[in-house]
Amino acid sequence: MTEKLYVLGHPVGHSKSPAMYNAVYEKAGLNWHYGLMDLPTAAEAEAFLAARDFLSINITTPYKPQALAAADSQAASARLAHGANVLVNANGALIAYNTDGQGCVAYLEGAGVSFRGKSVVVCGTGPTSLSILHAVAQAGPAEVILVGRSKDRARDVLRIYVDELGALVGRTVDMPAFKEGHLSFAELYDRVNFKYGSYDTSRQAIAGADIIIDATPLGMNEGDGAPFDPALLSARQTVFDVVYGHGETALAHAARAAGCAFLDGAGMLVGQAVVTVGILRDITGEEALGMPEDELFSLMAAAAGFDLAR
């Protein structure tokens, strides 16, 4: 029997996920097929989730909150992000994860970016932003600043994240870091300085940041501007934009013009996919998926047509 796997979202026609995952499943000799599930409305997405006719799905904009709500159990990564980008069907029970942050940080660190002791700005207040904020915090920065269009919204989102993180730390055995040299949940809760603001009120923080991560969808549509005033950028900064495959975004153009080190979301897509394959290996017990992470990254990047030498 062919196992069915999908990427759920709208729009997803540009997605490289089918090419990446099918390359892995073909090499592993598995009768699994990964396809697109482009559903324009929330009602259609919720009906698809309720049917549970899949082994696993990846979820992109705008259905990460619906995917979380459909799950029977939630990993801390999905709970803290308030959205899931991976659902795995384990004998009829849906388990939710969010691999965006882990994939983002793994890719950036593989590209030579160090978060240790740095000031990091994360743009956006949705599930992708929160997943990245959490993974960045585990990488040991001095401070992480969440910024959005509304200062009140950023404050509320960050307060909920910190409160929920504290509750997890207080009632469970400390959750270790995914990677050696990173912080556990308790360590990041105690050590990392979390701040918030808006694009207008946080101009000094944006200009002073070592690393800026734009986790908003700006750039997916023609005419989208940068989330903040690009005049704040300087050559000493590293800028990362989660958007890929839509031409040069306004932020990418501004960052390159300012002399920043710039990376786009292609590497994060591959990085989170590598994490997802590991989750599927662990849940299904398919030993054929136990390829080294560097091999998986190279295979999936090549299948997507990305030039991402590590």
Side-chain angles (χ1 to χ4, degrees):
M1 184 178 70
T2 301
E3 294 285 8
K4 294 179 285 187
L5 307 94
Y6 302 95
V7 55
L8 167 67
H10 181 70
V12 293
H14 67 286
S15 177
K16 302 291 187 179
S17 292
M20 293 194 309
Y21 285 101
N22 284 327
V24 173
Y25 304 148
E26 181 179 353
K27 181 164 185 175
L30 297 173
N31 192 24
W32 293 8
H33 178 73
Y34 190 107
L36 300 173
M37 187 57 62
D38 192 332
L39 300 178
T41 69
E44 290 172 290
E46 288 165 6
F48 169 73
L49 291 167
R52 305 190 175 200
D53 187 20
F54 53 80
L55 171 62
S56 178
I57 58 173
N58 295 96
I59 306 96
T60 187
T61 304
Y63 300 132
K64 292 180 183 180
Q66 286 90 340
L68 182 69
D72 298 293
S73 61
Q74 305 166 352
S77 60
R79 194 176 315 142
L80 289 170
H82 285 225
N85 78 326
V86 176
L87 282 179
V88 180
N89 190 336
N91 298 317
L94 296 185
I95 307 172
Y97 303 85
N98 196 309
T99 63
D100 282 330
Q102 191 178 349
C104 173
V105 169
Y107 167 60
L108 291 177
E109 289 187 328
V113 177
S114 172
F115 293 92
R116 178 69 63 174
K118 301 295 178 61
S119 173
V120 185
V121 164
V122 177
C123 301
T125 55
T128 303
S129 304
L130 281 173
S131 180
I132 290 173
L133 177 139
H134 179 66
V136 164
Q138 285 195 293
E143 63 179 12
V144 184
I145 307 153
L146 185 71
V147 295
R149 288 172 294 178
S150 164
K151 182 178 180 179
D152 290 345
R153 166 71 177 165
R155 177 199 62 210
D156 293 345
V157 167
L158 185 61
R159 180 178 295 160
I160 291 170
Y161 163 78
V162 172
D163 287 348
E164 292 181 343
L165 177 63
L168 281 173
V169 169
R171 69 171 178 258
T172 63
V173 174
D174 189 20
M175 300 183 71
F178 291 112
K179 182 178 177 181
E180 185 177 352
H182 283 203
L183 305 179
S184 70
F185 277 37
E187 288 171 334
L188 77 88
Y189 184 70
D190 289 337
R191 299 181 193 178
V192 178
N193 188 15
F194 292 103
K195 300 179 180 178
Y196 65 87
S198 72
Y199 301 126
D200 290 332
T201 64
S202 299
R203 293 175 62 87
Q204 185 174 349
I206 293 169
D210 300 298
I211 301 166
I212 298 172
I213 297 176
D214 179 14
T216 75
L218 288 172
M220 293 186 68
N221 298 308
E222 188 175 351
D224 282 349
F228 54 83
D229 181 358
L232 299 172
L233 295 171
S234 63
R236 66 174 191 79
Q237 295 174 308
T238 296
V239 178
F240 174 73
D241 191 339
V242 300
V243 172
Y244 76 96
H246 292 271
E248 186 177 54
T249 66
L251 180 61
H253 178 78
R256 290 178 176 127
C260 303
F262 177 80
L263 303 99
D264 70 18
M268 171 178 155
L269 179 76
V270 181
Q272 64 86 19
V274 169
V275 179
T276 299
V277 170
I279 290 170
L280 284 170
R281 178 199 63 226
D282 292 344
I283 290 181
T284 65
E286 288 288 353
E287 294 183 3
L289 295 178
M291 305 174 213
E293 288 189 0
D294 284 348
E295 181 182 342
L296 275 173
F297 189 95
S298 297
L299 174 62
M300 297 175 98
F306 297 148
D307 182 12
L308 298 170
R310 299 181 74 179

